[in-house]
């Protein structure tokens, strides 16, 4: 079919004679062609072509081949008269020596209605592995013809004829094929077979039928064996308008000659999230389950589908973001999952196993392209991208037009049916439709198809918000070069929505990123990230640089070095200028293409290096890096003698792969144990020079020791509470311990009057204990009395102080003696004396009785424990009244006459009394104004023993003491 000249080889194996005859005849009425093959043949194919340009004369060609013939190239181009190109016709005869195998080709031509038909017959004798026969009928202008004979020898599997017709030159190849004994019926003709194993086939082409020739030429059977050859002329078709706003793409026709326009099925999603269906319908959907993006309506591809796993990406569960993109094809399930929310970090798994990129298996290819991870299915021409923030799906209309369903809608260049439900009905809006494409996901038990649908999102914020200045870039000069290719309004609406609903996540960057990606897909490069004041910046790893418009597939040392002719771009991190990526799976930028090993360090060809203790060299060709085990230099054997020493391999700074054997000390291998030291001593160890194990001894700690305790110098030491002790810095030579110094605690040995120093059990010093009463007298002097002792006031005999001990408690009391009224006038002169108490006076009375009268005296008034400050003038009645007791002889009894000296007139007077607690009270007492003798009844008296004066005084004193105790207690 290509018209190339076949090559021939010569071989002479002994074979029987095989004869094959092929005859092509044309019928005028039916325009049919018959091919007959007889005799055993291993392979023979027959083709017939008739071309009808202007009438020409065609020569007859005979080819004879002897011996075994596999290939017989014969080129014939004989034209008499002017050719279409105006060149002089030429004839060619080519003869090759061959064995006895013989092939004869005969061409005969007949002319009908001003045209000449050429019939070529091929006869083959002898065993032939492959012989090709072509029959070509051409109507050309009337010109003279000349016969041509071509003889070839050697192996010639192909016979090629070149025919020039009009302005078109074509090569036709005749192939004789072997058919298995069978009968097959073709839509373009009929085939009949005969003979044992090889077959004879006959194909008849009826009038007005056509078939394709090579190089976009169509052959049409007219009539009477007239075949018209029509070259296909491709006129550029009018460019349609795609409703999704993207440019249509040229697609080659099925015949491979011409092309036509198609609108690719392109669906994308981004943000929280926003969708653009295949036909360009925009909507937002906030479901947090797993949904169908694309499935086939009529299943043509085994287990094909694309799905999205969404999740709530804010704390309020208001909006959703894409988390995982899932692509299923036949036996493989590809998952591209976001590693960190709202970032471009993703990981790829195939059938739940992590894979390294690039990955290619079972018709699925996965690789990195800029910031995207791309899944391609070349057989279906499907391209799926995902980067953690957005996804895109591109599918050819020729394979999937009118046969898609899911959240991406139907791909038919009509937005009216984009919101189709699984049952075929059209939903009111695509937000409602999206709910119905939920799928079962075991990882999301809260999601189940058929539950209450997700509430449609609010497309505008409930409260006015300040629009992000970043969104304004979409409508401004930054993206203006793309406005004529893709309109930015829908992306602007999505950007405003994201900036108002989730102002803290910077999701508006995804709208700009997606729009820039669509522009790059249309061949428009937009460098937009530098205009966002760092909000949408993208940081590349060390050794890479960011480019807004890089190649879709970066050139590597392992890939083709041809210039990239694609007009599409992708943003991402690329190798700096002057470097290139080593390989798609080795992310290392190199200046020269050498080798990169497991250490990810570029090497040049011929460079020697050591890695993982392997001596390696970078070679061009083969696997690139050739390694062998690293050889270490010999070392002197080290002997480790002595307790505690052992051999240790140390890293050699000069050769890390060859450790140095040295002797190291490990004290855990020593057998000596530290001794147990007494209090005040501690273990001290030292290692003698040249040894490993330590030597132990007990050394003083320079402390004091007392009762199994250690005390630091200058600290207090408790020996007993009668001594103050502390630890000194002086050392006892014999014990090697510090000396404890003690001083007795000083005691107070003087006590106040009335107190005596007495020892206290458990105390270091005695205590002053009161043993006598201490009485403060009226003249501010102290009087010391022992218990049971009485003593008069030195300055007033009428005041008596006493001390008593009651229940081991000393109680002092003060007693005042009240003297009876004393009238010196009634005393005999010279008889006035003091009573034994030394306070009251007495005397010998006068002989004449003293009349009853008022007597005065001064004394203290004591009432309820309170006492007058000074002596108070008190009055009383005293004197003799007519009282007698006489014996009456007449009555033989005693007669009594009683008269009492008593008050006849009194008055009440007030006096202020001072109480023990310091307060004063007013007290009223009776003052006698006058006295008189008054009769009173006399009673019989009974004799009784009188108490002695001493007893009366003692009783009186005891009463006064009791009264004093009572006053003291109060």
């Amino acid at each position: 079919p290509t018209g190339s000249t076949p090559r021939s080889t010569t071989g002479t194996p002994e074979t029987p004679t095989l004869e094959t005859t092929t005859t092509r005849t044309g019928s005028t009425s039916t325009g049919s062609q018959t091919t007959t093959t007889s005799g055993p043949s291993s392979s023979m194919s027959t083709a017939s072509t008739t071309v009808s340009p202007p009438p020409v004369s065609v020569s007859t060609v005979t080819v004879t081949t002897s011996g075994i013939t596999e290939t017989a190239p014969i080129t014939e181009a004989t034209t008499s008269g002017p050719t279409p190109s105006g060149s002089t016709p030429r004839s060619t005869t080519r003869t090759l020596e061959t064995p006895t195998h013989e092939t004869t080709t005969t061409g005969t031509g007949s002319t009908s209605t001003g045209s000449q038909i050429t019939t070529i017959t091929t006869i083959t004798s002898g065993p032939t592995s492959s012989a090709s026969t072509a029959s070509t009928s051409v109507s050309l202008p009337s010109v003279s013809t000349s016969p041509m004979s071509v003889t070839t020898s050697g192996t010639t599997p192909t016979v090629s004829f070149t025919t020039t017709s009009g302005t078109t030159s074509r090569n036709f190849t005749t192939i004789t094929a072997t058919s298995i004994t069978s009968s097959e019926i073709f839509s373009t003709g009929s085939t009949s077979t005969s003979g044992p194993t090889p077959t004879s086939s006959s194909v008849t082409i009826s009038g007005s039928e056509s078939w394709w020739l090579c190089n976009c030429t169509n052959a049409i059977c007219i009539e009477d064996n007239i075949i018209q050859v029509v070259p296909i002329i491709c006129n550029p078709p009018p460019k349609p308008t795609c409703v999704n706003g993207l440019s249509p793409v040229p697609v080659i026709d099925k015949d491979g000659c011409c092309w036509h326009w198609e609108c690719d099925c392109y669906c994308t999603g981004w943000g929280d999230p926003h969708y653009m269906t295949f036909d360009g319908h925009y909507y937002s959907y906030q479901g947090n389950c797993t949904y169908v993006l694309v499935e086939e309506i009529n299943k043509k591809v085994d287990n094909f589908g694309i799905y999205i796993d969404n999740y709530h990406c804010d704390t309020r569960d208001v909006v959703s973001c894409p988390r995982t993109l899932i692509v299923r094809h036949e036996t493989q399930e590809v998952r591209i999952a976001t590693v960190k929310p709202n970032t471009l970090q993703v990981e790829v798994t195939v059938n739940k196993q992590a894979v390294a990129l690039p990955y290619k298996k079972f018709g699925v290819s996965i690789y990195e392209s800029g910031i995207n991870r791309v899944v391609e299915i070349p057989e279906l021409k499907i391209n799926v991208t995902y980067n953690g923030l957005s996804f895109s799906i591109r599918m050819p209309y020729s394979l999937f037009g009118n046969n898609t369903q899911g959240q991406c809608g139907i791909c038919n260049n009509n937005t009216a049916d984009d919101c189709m439900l699984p049952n075929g009905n059209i939903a009111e809006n695509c937000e409602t439709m999206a709910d119905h494409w939920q799928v079962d996901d075991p990882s999301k038990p809260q999601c189940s198809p058929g539950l209450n649908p997700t509430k449609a999102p609010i497309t505008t914020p409930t409260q006015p918000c300040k629009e992000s200045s970043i969104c304004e870039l979409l409508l401004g000069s930054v993206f203006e070069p793309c406005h004529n290719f893709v309109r930015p309004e829908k992306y602007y609406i999505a950007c405003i929505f994201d900036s108002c609903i989730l102002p803290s996540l910077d999701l508006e960057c995804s709208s700009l990123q997606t729009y820039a990606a669509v522009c790059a897909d249309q061949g428009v490069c937009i460098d937009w990230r530098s205009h966002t004041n760092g909000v949408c910046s993208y940081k590349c790893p060390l050794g890479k640089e960011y480019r807004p418009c890089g190649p879709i597939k970066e050139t590597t040392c392992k890939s083709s070095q041809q210039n990239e002719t694609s007009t599409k771009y992708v943003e991402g991190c690329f190798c700096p200028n002057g470097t290139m990526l080593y390989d798609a799976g080795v992310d290392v930028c190199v200046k020269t293409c050498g080798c990169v090993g497991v250490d990810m360090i570029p090497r040049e060809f011929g460079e020697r290096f050591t890695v993982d203790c392997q001596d390696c060299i970078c070679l061009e060709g083969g696997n690139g890096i050739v390694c062998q085990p690293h050889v270490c230099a010999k070392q002197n054997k080290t002997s480790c003698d002595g307790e505690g020493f052992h051999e240790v391999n140390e890293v050699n700074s000069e050769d890390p792969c060859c450790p140095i054997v040295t002797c190291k000390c490990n004290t855990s291998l020593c057998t000596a144990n530290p001794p147990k030291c007494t209090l005040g001593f501690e273990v001290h160890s030292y290692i003698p020079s040249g040894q490993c194990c330590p030597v132990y001894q007990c050394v003083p700690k320079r402390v004091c020791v007392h009762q199994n305790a250690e005390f630091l110098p200058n600290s207090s030491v408790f020996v007993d509470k009668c001594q103050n002790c502390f630890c000194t810095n002086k050392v006892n030579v014999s014990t090697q311990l510090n000396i404890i110094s003690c001083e007795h605690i000083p005691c107070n040995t003087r006590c106040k009057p009335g107190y005596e120093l007495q020892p206290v059990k458990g105390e270091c010093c005695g205590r002053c204990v009161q043993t006598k009463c201490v009485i403060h007298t009226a003249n501010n002097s102290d009087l010391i009395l022992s218990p049971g002792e009485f003593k008069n006031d030195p300055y007033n005999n009428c005041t008596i102080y006493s001390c008593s001990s009651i229940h081991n408690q000393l109680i002092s009391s003060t007693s005042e003696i009240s003297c009876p009224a004393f009238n010196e006038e009634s005393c005999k002169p010279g008889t006035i004396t003091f009573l034994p108490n030394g306070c009251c006076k007495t005397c010998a009375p006068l002989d004449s009785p003293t009349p009853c009268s008022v007597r005065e005296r001064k004394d203290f008034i004591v009432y309820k424990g309170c006492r007058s400050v000074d002596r108070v003038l008190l009055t009383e009645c005293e004197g003799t009244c007519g009282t007698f007791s006489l014996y009456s002889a007449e009555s033989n009894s005693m007669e009594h006459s009683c008269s009492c000296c008593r008050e006849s007139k009194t008055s009440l007077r007030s006096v202020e009394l001072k109480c023990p607690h310091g307060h004063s009270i007013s007290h009223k007492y009776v003052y006698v104004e006058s006295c008189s003798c008054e009769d009173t009844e006399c009673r019989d008296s009974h004799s009784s023993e009188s108490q002695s004066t001493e007893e009366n005084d003692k009783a009186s004193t005891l009463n006064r003491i009791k009264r004093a105790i009572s006053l003291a207690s109060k």
Side-chain angles (χ1 to χ4, degrees):
T2 61
S4 60
T5 303
R7 55 190 178 87
S8 65
T9 59
T10 303
T12 57
E14 295 290 330
T15 59
T17 301
L18 174 67
E19 179 173 307
T20 304
T21 301
T22 304
T23 303
R24 299 185 183 183
T25 60
S27 173
T28 305
S29 61
T30 62
S32 63
Q33 181 177 0
T34 304
T35 301
T36 305
T37 303
S38 64
S41 175
S42 60
S43 175
M44 177 173 65
S45 62
T46 302
S48 174
T49 307
T50 301
V51 186
S52 107
V56 233
S57 174
V58 180
S59 61
T60 300
V61 180
T62 303
V63 179
T64 303
T65 304
S66 62
I68 299 174
T69 303
E70 291 183 355
T71 307
I74 300 176
T75 305
E76 179 271 327
T78 303
T79 309
S80 61
T83 63
S85 60
S87 61
T88 303
R90 56 193 176 89
S91 62
T92 303
T93 302
R94 182 175 184 180
T95 305
L96 299 174
E97 293 184 7
T98 63
T100 57
H101 184 88
E102 180 177 277
T103 303
T104 302
T105 304
T106 303
T108 61
S110 61
T111 305
S112 174
T113 62
S115 64
Q116 185 173 1
I117 307 300
T118 299
T119 304
I120 299 174
T121 305
T122 301
I123 303 171
T124 304
S125 63
T128 302
S129 61
S130 177
S132 305
T133 302
S135 176
T136 307
S137 297
V138 185
S139 291
L140 297 173
S142 300
V143 290
S144 62
T145 64
S146 60
M148 178 178 297
S149 177
V150 179
T151 304
T152 64
S153 64
T155 304
T156 309
T158 308
V159 179
S160 178
F161 297 94
T162 302
T163 303
T164 302
S165 172
T167 60
T168 306
S169 176
R170 292 290 183 265
N171 293 332
F172 302 93
T173 301
T174 303
I175 301 174
T176 303
T178 300
S179 303
I180 299 175
T181 304
S182 62
S183 178
E184 297 182 5
I185 297 176
F186 301 94
S187 61
T188 57
S190 63
T191 302
S192 63
T193 63
S194 65
T197 303
T199 62
S200 174
S201 54
S202 176
V203 179
T204 300
I205 302 176
S206 60
S208 300
E209 291 195 16
S210 63
W211 64 97
W212 284 102
L213 302 179
C214 56
N215 292 338
C216 297
T217 303
N218 194 17
I220 305 174
C221 178
I222 305 300
E223 61 180 353
D224 296 332
N225 289 338
I226 299 175
I227 299 175
Q228 182 181 3
V229 178
V230 181
I232 302 300
I233 299 175
C234 298
N235 295 319
K239 192 173 184 179
T241 300
C242 299
V243 295
N244 58 14
L246 305 181
S247 299
V249 295
V251 179
I252 301 298
D253 293 340
K254 291 182 179 180
D255 55 26
C257 295
C258 298
W259 58 273
H260 61 279
W261 294 104
E262 285 186 5
C263 294
D264 265 352
C265 305
Y266 187 82
C267 175
T268 185
W270 71 95
D272 55 350
H274 312 285
Y275 293 87
M276 198 81 77
T277 65
F278 286 134
D279 295 334
H281 180 80
Y282 168 80
Y283 69 96
S284 297
Y285 178 65
Q286 312 303 331
N288 68 327
C289 299
T290 304
Y291 304 91
V292 176
L293 288 177
V294 182
E295 282 184 349
E296 289 184 297
I297 299 176
N298 300 314
K299 310 298 181 182
K300 298 179 181 179
V301 181
D302 184 26
N303 191 31
F304 169 73
I306 304 175
Y307 309 88
I308 190 73
D309 170 16
N310 292 338
Y311 74 104
H312 285 310
C313 51
D314 73 325
T315 56
R316 301 169 298 169
D317 293 346
V318 175
V319 295
S320 300
C321 296
R323 175 165 55 190
T324 304
L325 190 74
I326 306 165
V327 181
R328 291 178 182 168
H329 177 244
E330 296 182 349
T331 61
Q332 299 190 92
E333 179 182 273
V334 180
R335 285 178 173 262
I336 310 177
T338 304
V339 175
K340 186 178 180 181
N342 303 321
T343 66
L344 299 178
Q345 301 178 24
V346 297
E347 63 180 5
V348 181
T349 61
V350 177
N351 294 339
K352 300 182 180 180
Q353 295 293 326
V355 296
L357 302 185
Y359 170 92
K360 190 172 184 180
K361 191 175 183 181
F362 299 148
V364 174
S365 175
I366 312 171
Y367 59 90
E368 292 185 33
S369 179
I371 63 175
N372 299 316
R373 302 299 183 273
V374 182
V375 180
E376 283 188 348
I377 306 176
E379 177 188 1
L380 304 177
K381 301 177 183 179
I382 292 177
N383 180 284
V384 181
T385 69
Y386 183 64
N387 55 39
L389 293 179
S390 62
F391 69 84
S392 69
I393 303 170
R394 182 181 292 277
M395 305 165 67
Y397 182 87
S398 57
L399 297 180
F400 294 94
N402 286 297
N403 196 31
T404 63
Q405 60 181 354
Q407 291 185 341
C408 283
I410 300 180
C411 178
N412 59 2
N413 211 33
N414 180 14
T415 59
D417 54 6
D418 277 3
C419 302
M420 189 183 75
L421 301 175
N423 59 10
N425 296 332
I426 306 301
E428 180 181 356
N429 54 65
C430 284
E431 288 82 358
T432 303
M433 171 272 291
D435 261 321
H436 290 77
W437 290 107
Q438 185 181 144
V439 298
D440 252 337
D441 188 345
S443 65
K444 293 187 172 183
Q446 77 278 8
C447 298
S448 179
L451 293 179
N452 293 332
T454 304
K455 183 179 179 181
I458 302 174
T459 56
T460 57
T462 56
Q463 297 180 355
C465 77
K466 185 178 180 181
E467 297 178 359
S468 173
S469 60
I470 295 177
C471 299
E472 300 296 330
L473 297 176
L474 290 166
L475 305 179
S477 60
V478 174
F479 285 91
E480 186 176 4
C482 186
H483 290 173
N484 292 332
F485 295 87
V486 182
R487 297 305 303 166
E489 285 77 9
K490 296 175 182 178
Y491 301 93
Y492 177 77
I493 294 172
C495 183
I496 295 299
F497 178 84
D498 292 345
S499 66
C500 290
I501 299 300
L502 298 173
S504 61
L505 295 183
D506 297 333
L507 275 182
E508 58 266 31
C509 297
S510 64
S511 294
L512 277 72
Q513 175 182 300
T514 303
Y515 183 57
V518 175
C519 293
D521 183 77
Q522 299 298 302
V524 181
C525 176
I526 304 294
D527 184 4
W528 62 277
R529 291 189 185 270
S530 59
H531 298 274
T532 61
N533 296 324
V535 176
C536 303
S537 61
Y538 187 73
K539 186 177 181 181
C540 290
L542 187 65
K544 294 289 190 76
E545 64 181 16
Y546 172 79
R547 293 181 195 167
C549 302
I552 292 179
K553 287 190 177 181
E554 194 171 2
T555 302
T556 69
C557 292
K558 303 295 184 181
S559 65
S560 173
Q561 300 297 319
Q562 296 178 357
N563 293 331
E564 178 66 43
T565 59
S566 174
T567 60
K568 296 183 179 180
Y569 308 101
V570 64
E571 69 166 330
C573 297
F574 301 92
C575 289
N577 292 329
T579 65
M580 71 168 57
L581 193 66
Y582 180 75
D583 195 5
V586 183
D587 193 15
V588 177
C589 298
V590 297
K591 292 183 179 179
T592 58
C593 289
C595 309
V596 175
V598 294
D599 56 356
M600 305 301 285
I601 298 176
R603 314 283 183 180
E604 294 184 359
F605 291 126
E607 181 179 349
R608 295 181 180 272
F609 57 97
T610 301
V611 60
D612 290 342
C613 295
Q614 297 274 320
D615 292 331
C616 305
I617 183 172
C618 174
L619 298 177
E620 188 171 5
N623 292 328
I625 298 178
V626 177
C627 299
Q628 59 184 4
H630 182 69
V631 179
C632 297
K634 291 185 178 180
Q635 299 182 15
N636 296 327
K637 185 170 178 60
T638 304
S639 178
C640 296
D641 297 328
E643 185 182 13
F645 287 106
H646 67 109
E647 294 184 359
V648 173
N649 292 329
E650 287 188 340
V651 177
N652 187 353
S653 59
E654 297 179 357
D655 190 352
C657 294
C658 298
I660 301 174
V661 179
T662 60
C663 288
K664 289 294 183 182
C665 174
N666 185 354
T667 55
S668 64
L669 302 177
C670 298
T671 57
N673 294 322
K676 187 175 182 181
C677 300
T678 59
L679 281 175
F681 293 84
E682 63 183 349
V683 177
H684 177 71
S685 64
Y686 68 97
I687 300 175
S689 178
Q691 295 185 16
C692 171
C693 295
V695 176
Y696 301 102
Q697 62 181 5
C698 293
V699 297
K701 297 171 66 175
R702 302 302 179 196
V703 295
C704 298
V705 176
H706 177 69
Q707 292 183 352
N708 295 325
E710 294 179 347
F711 299 89
L712 295 174
N714 299 320
S715 62
S716 298
V717 180
F718 181 78
V719 176
D720 61 57
K721 56 185 174 182
C722 297
Q723 299 184 82
N724 286 329
C725 302
F726 66 96
C727 180
T728 67
N729 288 309
K730 296 180 180 179
V731 179
N732 188 322
V733 179
S734 61
T735 63
Q736 293 297 308
L737 297 175
N738 289 24
I739 298 174
I740 298 175
S741 176
C742 297
E743 294 180 356
H744 199 283
I745 295 176
C747 297
N748 182 19
T749 57
R750 297 185 61 183
C751 295
K752 297 187 297 182
Y755 290 80
E756 292 181 2
L757 186 64
Q758 294 180 357
V760 180
K761 186 177 180 180
E763 299 290 339
C764 299
C765 299
R767 188 168 53 193
C768 290
V769 179
Q770 187 176 3
T771 58
K772 296 181 180 181
C773 295
V774 179
I775 302 174
H776 300 283
T777 61
N779 57 357
N780 295 326
S781 61
D782 291 334
L783 187 63
I784 307 300
L785 298 178
S786 298
E789 184 180 3
F790 297 88
K791 196 170 186 180
N792 293 84
D793 191 313
Y795 302 99
N796 183 9
N797 282 337
C798 293
T799 301
I800 299 174
Y801 301 102
S802 62
C803 178
S804 60
S805 176
I806 300 177
H807 301 299
N808 294 326
Q809 183 177 4
L810 293 177
I811 298 175
S812 61
S813 61
T814 302
S815 302
E816 297 290 339
I817 299 176
S818 297
C819 296
F822 180 75
N823 187 4
E824 293 182 0
E825 295 178 359
S826 61
C827 295
K828 292 181 179 180
T831 61
I832 299 175
T833 58
F834 284 96
L835 294 173
N837 57 23
C839 172
C840 298
K841 294 179 180 181
T842 183
C843 66
L846 295 175
D847 293 338
S848 59
T850 302
C852 179
S853 62
V854 177
R855 301 290 185 261
E856 294 181 352
R857 65 181 177 89
K858 288 188 177 181
D859 201 354
F860 292 98
I861 295 179
V862 178
Y863 178 76
K864 292 185 179 181
C866 299
R867 176 180 173 179
S868 61
V869 179
D870 299 319
R871 292 178 182 271
V872 180
L873 179 63
L874 301 175
T875 56
E876 55 189 19
C877 293
E878 183 182 10
T880 302
C881 291
T883 299
F884 61 91
S885 177
L886 297 177
Y887 175 74
S888 172
E890 182 180 355
S891 60
N892 193 23
S893 64
M894 295 295 297
E895 293 183 1
H896 304 283
S897 175
C898 296
S899 177
C900 179
C901 181
R902 55 183 303 175
E903 69 278 6
S904 58
K905 183 180 179 181
T906 60
S907 62
L908 290 177
R909 293 191 178 186
S910 297
V911 66
E912 184 177 1
L913 304 182
K914 196 74 173 179
C915 298
H917 297 292
H919 66 282
S920 300
I921 63 173
S922 179
H923 175 68
K924 291 184 178 182
Y925 66 95
V926 177
Y927 183 82
V928 178
E929 298 284 348
S930 61
C931 299
S932 62
C933 291
E934 295 184 7
D935 292 336
T936 182
E937 182 179 358
C938 294
R939 290 187 255 176
D940 292 338
S941 59
H942 300 282
S943 62
S944 62
E945 297 184 1
S946 62
Q947 296 178 342
S948 63
T949 304
E950 184 179 355
E951 292 175 347
N952 290 336
D953 290 342
K954 191 174 181 179
S956 176
T957 301
L958 184 58
N959 290 334
R960 286 198 302 271
I961 291 174
K962 289 181 179 180
R963 188 177 63 202
I965 293 173
S966 176
L967 292 176
S969 64
K970 291 180 180 181

